Amino acid sequence: MNAGQPPIGVLLIQLGTPDSTDVSDVRRYLREFLSDPRVIDLPVPARTALLEGVILPFRPRRSAEAYEKIWTDAGSPLLINTTDLARKVADELGSSYAVTVGMRYQNPSIEEAVDALAAEGCIEFVVVPLFPQYSSAATGSAVQKAVEVIGGRWNVPAITTVGAFYDHTGYIDALAASIKATLDDFGPDHLLFSYHGLPEKQIRKSDPTDGWCLESAGCCDAIVDANRFCYRAQCFATTRAAAGALDLSTNFFSTTFQSRLAGQKWIEPYTDKELPNLYEAGVRRLAVVTPSFTADCLETIEEIGIRGRAQWHDLGSDEFFLVPCLNADDPWVRVVAELVRNAS
């Protein structure tokens, strides 16, 4: 970039977090999150009835209690970790770029982030959804919102979006390095790759052929045209790539899906249902890695690190280790910077 040219704006997007553990703040977050038609893809009347009549009267208090278990003096772990990442990516990229964080739901909002980048004089934006595997509910929603916000400005900047990076060499290497540290230090006898779940309905909607996804046991064994946008297939591809980088034997690792909601069929196998199977198969020292999350958050720290550990204890073993997310690890910082440079 020539001297005097405005910096390129880099918008790092995460899903979101409540402003605090107060039930009112958690309810506000859940209402915005679950009102998104890409998240709960039902007709408006049905979605509203589900949200207002079933979810919001009960879930905010339970979720607030869960957030209280992971909240730090500095606030939300997701926001802290992503802010640290943004700061280090900015240092890695240098003064030709301005980097900020926007949450798809709640604060700091994408609107605030775009305004901040515009105030820096940015006339070119690179949008980076921090979700390795594509889903309409996360990546699609984040990109749609960012384009709406940026495109709503009177002077519309140039916009480039970073796509799914589930098999990007740098990402896989960074993920494998974090796993290797656990393999060396903890020495598990099994490694579980646990990804965020999705309703099967959404997986089928991403299949342009209407005849491939979830139609056979091996539909996710390779990426083909029919499952190019299939979240489940991309998750399995991440597992295969990371296991290959670590030279793991096939019986040493497995893939599951967590964080499902009641009311419809979600992709399988389920993490909480697989833990008893692993114990019955003789596993005692279990390590869990969560590669659909690039920053530790409620779903990693509380759902796996606390509830998953308690379930494993109740099965009969205390040998359980949660592999930290990439957060702001230096290898991951370099990957994000590379993704940005390649896109700009």
Side-chain angles (χ1 to χ4, degrees):
M1 177 178 292
N2 297 327
Q5 282 192 320
I8 295 172
V10 179
L11 174 58
L12 305 181
I13 302 180
Q14 285 281 19
L15 192 73
T17 177
D19 292 333
S20 76
T21 61
D22 290 345
V23 174
S24 59
D25 282 339
V26 175
R27 180 179 292 108
R28 187 179 305 111
Y29 165 70
L30 290 175
R31 174 173 279 115
E32 183 183 4
F33 172 38
L34 298 175
S35 294
D36 188 337
R38 287 182 180 266
V39 175
I40 298 182
D41 54 332
L42 295 173
V44 173
R47 185 170 63 250
T48 301
L50 176 64
L51 189 59
E52 300 297 337
V54 178
I55 298 176
L56 291 180
F58 307 104
R59 189 177 178 88
R61 185 167 299 280
R62 294 198 302 269
S63 293
E65 292 172 354
Y67 275 109
E68 286 176 354
K69 296 176 183 178
I70 71 164
W71 214 257
T72 72
D73 291 341
S76 162
L78 178 66
L79 180 56
I80 294 167
N81 289 323
T82 309
T83 300
D84 287 346
L85 174 69
R87 175 180 51 80
K88 295 176 74 171
V89 169
D91 290 342
E92 180 75 16
L93 290 171
S95 60
S96 294
Y97 296 83
V99 183
T100 193
V101 174
M103 295 290 173
R104 173 59 185 90
Y105 312 105
Q106 293 300 289
N107 302 304
S109 68
I110 290 176
E111 290 88 347
E112 292 172 314
V114 169
D115 285 345
L117 293 174
E120 294 280 338
C122 301
I123 58 174
E124 179 181 348
F125 281 36
V126 178
V127 177
V128 188
L130 293 170
F131 316 118
Q133 302 82 21
Y134 175 84
S135 71
S136 181
T139 315
S141 181
V143 171
Q144 180 181 6
K145 182 67 173 181
V147 170
E148 287 175 355
V149 171
I150 298 169
R153 303 187 68 84
W154 184 258
N155 297 319
V156 180
I159 307 170
T160 305
T161 301
V162 172
F165 47 89
Y166 63 94
D167 61 350
H168 182 278
T169 300
Y171 163 69
I172 294 299
D173 287 347
L175 178 63
S178 70
I179 295 171
K180 187 176 187 306
T182 296
L183 298 180
D184 292 343
D185 297 340
F186 177 66
D189 45 32
H190 193 84
L191 175 65
L192 183 64
F193 289 78
S194 180
Y195 297 83
H196 198 288
L198 275 183
E200 286 191 355
K201 175 184 175 184
Q202 294 192 15
I203 297 296
R204 296 182 191 278
K205 286 175 70 172
S206 289
D207 178 0
T209 71
D210 293 324
W212 182 274
C213 288
L214 304 178
E215 294 300 322
S216 70
C219 63
C220 293
D221 288 349
I223 300 295
V224 297
D225 288 343
N227 65 8
R228 189 72 58 191
F229 284 93
C230 175
Y231 171 79
R232 187 175 187 272
Q234 291 186 6
C235 290
F236 276 100
T238 296
T239 295
R240 288 193 300 270
L246 292 164
D247 196 25
L248 303 180
S249 60
T250 55
N251 61 349
F252 181 76
F253 65 92
S254 53
T255 296
T256 58
F257 299 90
Q258 62 182 85
S259 311
R260 67 190 183 278
L261 294 175
Q264 56 184 314
K265 184 74 178 297
W266 284 54
I267 52 178
E268 296 180 322
Y270 301 144
T271 299
D272 60 336
K273 302 296 185 183
E274 185 64 15
L275 293 185
N277 296 335
L278 290 173
Y279 189 85
E280 290 177 8
V283 175
R284 294 297 180 268
R285 296 180 63 82
L286 179 66
V288 184
V289 62
T290 54
S292 54
F293 306 94
T294 53
D296 277 307
C297 55
L298 185 73
E299 289 81 0
T300 65
I301 303 171
E302 193 275 335
E303 184 176 359
I304 301 299
I306 297 177
R307 280 189 282 148
R309 181 188 303 276
Q311 182 183 358
W312 193 245
H313 168 81
D314 290 344
L315 288 168
S317 176
D318 287 321
E319 303 299 330
F320 183 99
F321 188 85
L322 172 63
V323 180
C325 288
L326 296 176
N327 292 319
D329 290 352
D330 288 343
W332 172 229
V333 169
R334 291 191 289 270
V335 171
V336 176
E338 178 189 352
L339 292 171
V340 170
R341 290 191 188 99
N342 290 341
S344 59

